[in-house]
Amino acid sequence: MYGRDPWGGPLEINAADSATTDDDRSRNLQDFDRAALSRPLDETQQSWLLGPGEQKKKKYVDLGCIIISRRSFFGLLEPFSLLDPLLIWSLPKHNNVSWRGNSGMKDGVSDNSYNKNLVGGFYDAGDAIKFNFPSSFAMTMLSWSVIEYSGKYEAAGELNHVKEIIKWGTDYILKTFNSSADTIDKIAAQDIDYPRPVYECHSCSDLAAEMAAALAASSIVFKDDKVYSKKLVHGATTLFKFSRSQRGRYSPTGSDPSIFYNSTSYWDEYLWGGAWMYYATGNSSYLALVTTPGLAKHAGAFWGGPDFGVLSWDNKLTGAQVLLSRLRLFLSPGYPYEDMLSTFHNQTSIVMCSYLPQFTSFNRTKGGLIQLNHGRPQPLQYVVNAAFLANLYADYLEAADTPGWYCGPNFFSTSVLRQFAKTQIDYILGKNPRKMSYLVGYGSNYPKHVHHRGASIPNNRVRYNCKGGWKWRDSSKPNPNIAIGAMVAGPDKNDGFRDVRSNYNYTEPTVAGNAGLVAALVGLSGEVSVGIDKNAIFSAVPPMFPTAPPPPAPWKP
């Protein structure tokens, strides 16, 4: 179900509440655990070395499937450009245009209840309901891509740049709660009406756990900045504690968040946030939590269902399973974690099978786009996440000296996962029946009526309020500003697309969707042999097994 505000806005696919599933609906996983090969711990598993050094900046980025200019590719990552499609989707404050009206707080003025200035960086803080939940997920996804592919970011000359963007997001998140405290009882959240008062959230497990995931993942990105990384870990710890102690969804029925960005449950955020907390801290209590069978059951790990395998800002289960599958592949922590980790690993294998055209878990359009949201609107945000996971899992398997995985009795090589990812990205970039690039600014045939205030309202030195901008929304003229790098919502189930600004189901870009696209593009860039950084994610995790004591000195009579 999709709601809307005057400018529209995407809502999440509504999966059934996984907490109601039964054990008798579990999949039989006994035949799927053939990808993890038994082998002694190698040097990688016993040490945590730094990634590759600096490489020369290139003008073009090789995605394997296509060559794309750095301008289009990293336009998604540009916080200082005229239009920033990745961060908050509004123009910098120094332009004399207001796309969303007043925020309810003046720039530089602290909100009394938090004693915080919630105005972030170059932008109005915006609506924290929109920002904190889906956009915390965006920061987590960006951080994950940096942790795994720092060498590829470095090769493109964009590592420092993407880290600046992540820090912009994490600095904002740190402002929305008392990040210096060990215990909190509220998080700042905002409505999206005008003017926007700051709302307090006292029971929002999903939101808090997702914010914790963002801070925890980014703490690994900034591990070389020990002071800032420690601050992020502390904030993440406080948030995750809050998410567990005061349980509830941040979008209860009838609330404003439930209309626009409804969260279906918080159990998947517990798995997702807990996994990132373990990687960020090395504290085994988080690993014990996420390998608790009851938690996995409530998150739907044993169920399947129509949206099983669909990673999104609302459904983190698949991402958590891939993260925990990584742990099993490279560290093999053993008892008492092995049983659930093997289950997550098996389920990850099943998800990867579902992406292949040989199976019918998800339909495809005639042009080849996988329908992860079953023909419902705005498909591309789900597709790019799947492309990222498929390529990433292929890199995991190859880094673990495993050439592929089994789908039932059939063995598939890692190359088919990369092929899936490439075909989906190729579709988005123009290899589709309409020859339409859904990445604004790439190619010559891309959406010219993007559903975005900053792109559609001219910078004519007139300050428009929210309703004052409606005439531009409903205008048939092309956008006066080009949101370079913005991926729009995408085509319908028949490969059709209407380049109409008022129809957000086709033309709206989102922060979460673009983060997934960046992650997928970076993963596919460069040589396949480069792969992942096997060690960076374990930088805070102590060795699983004690070092053997040195041999005794030779006996002397």
Side-chain angles (χ1 to χ4, degrees), residues 72-84:
S72 294
F73 180 35
F74 287 102
L76 295 92
L77 300 178
E78 179 53 72
F80 304 105
S81 63
L82 177 65
L83 294 171
D84 180 13

Side-chain angles (χ1 to χ4, degrees), residues 434-546:
R434 296 183 62 87
K435 310 299 181 185
M436 167 75 76
S437 167
Y438 296 109
L439 183 66
V440 177
Y442 178 72
S444 58
N445 184 24
Y446 56 82
K448 306 299 194 301
H449 301 80
V450 180
H451 180 93
H452 177 246
R453 294 167 193 170
S456 58
I457 304 178
N459 185 11
N460 56 7
R461 300 186 180 278
V462 177
R463 186 174 182 86
Y464 297 96
N465 59 24
C466 176
K467 293 183 178 181
W470 287 2
K471 65 177 182 180
W472 305 108
R473 179 200 65 181
D474 298 330
S475 169
S476 61
K477 295 181 180 180
N479 288 351
N481 307 308
I482 301 176
I484 295 175
M487 182 185 72
V488 297
D492 58 33
K493 62 183 179 181
N494 298 314
D495 297 306
F497 183 80
R498 296 186 61 206
D499 190 7
V500 178
R501 191 179 298 110
S502 60
N503 194 330
Y504 58 88
N505 282 329
Y506 290 107
T507 58
E508 183 181 43
T510 65
V511 175
N514 268 51
L517 176 63
V518 171
L521 289 174
V522 170
L524 286 168
S525 67
E527 298 295 329
V528 171
S529 59
V530 175
I532 61 167
D533 184 333
K534 292 195 292 185
N535 310 298
I537 200 169
F538 299 122
S539 59
V541 178
M544 287 289 178
F545 309 104

